[in-house]
Amino acid sequence: MKEEKAIRSRFDLRKLVRPCIAQLKPYRSARDEYSTPGGEMIFLDANENPYGDGINRYPDPYQNALKSVLASLKGVRPEQLIIGNGSDEVLDLLFRVFCEPGDANVITLPPTYGMYGVLAGVNNVEVREVPLDDQWQPRTDEILETVDDQTRMIFFCSPNNPTGNLMQSNKVKEILQAFAGIVVIDEAYIDFTSSDSWSSMLDDHPNLVVVQTLSKAYGLAGARVGFAIASEAIISILNKIKPPYNVNALSQEKALETLRDPEDAKRFLATVKEQKFRLIDGFKALDYVEQVFESEANFILFRVDDAQRRYDELLAKGIVVRKRHGLPGCDNTLRVSIGTITENEVLLTVLNQLN
Ligand SMILES: *Cc1c(COP(=O)(O)O)cnc(C)c1O
């Protein structure tokens, strides 16, 4: 315990932020100064077209209306939120704040979401992979052995894409306490689980960044609205470097509308749960299916005799699934999203016709 405390006290945000970012004077947009055009003021500050229904104006750069709804939904303060053009943008901002190109490294736990590696590559940051164990859980000792002075971030995905399981909280906690860099927990699928978000632990862990999205459970993948929840200190640095108008006005409006009436999302979550069990049972009954993994998300990973063959056969029937063959531990696996009731029916019918 004593040792844990000692390690934890080494977390020093100022030392983690790239010097060029620490020194950066952010761009101040016209809308930074006066963020809500309309009302009584005459807005001649942003070279906009003055005619229109509102879309002629630049959007609120800090998405204040959306943040206040999100904050109360998530039980955090608006100052603990940054919203991005999808959570992929927020992940990219994290790389650009914390990882000096050509110098920093990050740790990922494959099989997992592919964007961590791609964003690392784009930012010229080394990726150190510590594969999950055979229960799809983090190997904490190996992770900590892989950390060195240049390790800036460790990525957990929980529930994990593509395996569908949650990361055990004692293992995540161990890393949060022992690692002095940033621990990112990607919770893109948290709404599908009954487990709590790690965002409730922010006060205990200044190095924690939780990433969520409206793309999956809330049905807004096309609007591109994702967000991170973290300490005010971390959020304010991310805010410094984000593109000023990164979330467009139509998407802000659409997200507000969706969050104001969460009934659709709730209905969808109930359907997913039901349909998931139906699909899992259906998959298990097929003799070319070798393993079906438990899922806390809106997809199922399963192992077949020959993933390429089954993928092609499905494709020939007009059904597109995701091959995960090639990722660590994922030999001959396919990942299937839970579709509509009808789509799932068609999927099961087609799968049953294969031999
Ligand atoms: C889908 C997904 C995302 C991307 O979300 P966007 O907000 O649409 O960019 C992030 N992380 C994981 C694990 C995902 O599966």
Side-chain angles (χ1 to χ4, degrees), residues 18-225:
R18 291 169 61 202
C20 64
I21 302 296
Q23 288 159 19
L24 185 78
K25 256 185 85 78
Y27 175 72
R28 281 191 65 79
S29 70
R31 287 292 163 270
D32 273 335
E33 288 162 46
Y34 291 96
S35 68
T36 41
E40 300 305 305
M41 312 286 259
I42 296 176
F43 281 92
L44 304 176
D45 58 344
N47 303 345
E48 297 150 331
N49 178 329
Y51 303 101
D53 56 4
I55 207 75
N56 55 311
R57 298 292 180 185
Y58 281 104
D60 174 2
Y62 295 109
Q63 308 99 17
N64 287 313
L66 181 52
K67 271 184 192 164
S68 82
V69 175
L70 256 187
S72 62
L73 189 71
K74 299 293 169 185
V76 298
R77 283 170 281 116
E79 297 75 23
Q80 292 178 288
L81 288 169
I82 178 164
I83 306 179
N85 182 25
S87 49
D88 287 345
E89 182 185 47
V90 177
L91 292 168
D92 185 51
L93 294 176
L94 286 165
F95 273 95
R96 290 194 282 150
V97 162
F98 294 112
C99 297
E100 196 62 45
D103 192 30
N105 67 72
V106 298
I107 296 176
T108 65
L109 316 179
T112 194
Y113 186 49
M115 277 305 279
Y116 315 137
V118 171
L119 292 169
V122 167
N123 289 286
N124 193 18
V125 169
E126 180 197 347
V127 181
R128 300 183 172 179
E129 298 191 331
V130 182
L132 297 170
D133 69 16
D134 58 4
Q135 302 297 307
W136 303 131
Q137 291 301 324
R139 302 176 204 253
T140 51
D141 291 345
E142 284 87 339
I143 293 171
L144 292 175
E145 280 161 22
T146 306
V147 169
D148 68 13
D149 287 347
Q150 302 311 317
T151 307
R152 290 291 174 270
M153 297 196 282
I154 299 177
F155 288 89
F156 289 93
C157 185
S158 183
N160 187 39
N161 177 2
T163 59
N165 63 297
L166 288 159
M167 298 295 125
Q168 279 169 9
S169 59
N170 58 332
K171 302 203 162 162
V172 176
K173 237 176 235 168
E174 190 185 334
I175 301 296
L176 274 165
Q177 287 174 346
F179 177 53
I182 300 291
V183 175
V184 179
I185 306 183
D186 186 340
E187 293 184 335
Y189 300 96
I190 192 69
D191 306 290
F192 298 100
T193 79
S194 48
S195 96
D196 279 345
S197 166
W198 279 92
S199 59
S200 62
M201 306 295 285
L202 280 169
D203 289 343
D204 296 335
H205 303 290
N207 55 342
L208 171 60
V209 176
V210 174
V211 176
Q212 294 187 11
T213 179
L214 301 186
S215 292
K216 308 282 160 59
Y218 287 92
L220 294 185
R224 314 301 305 125
V225 182

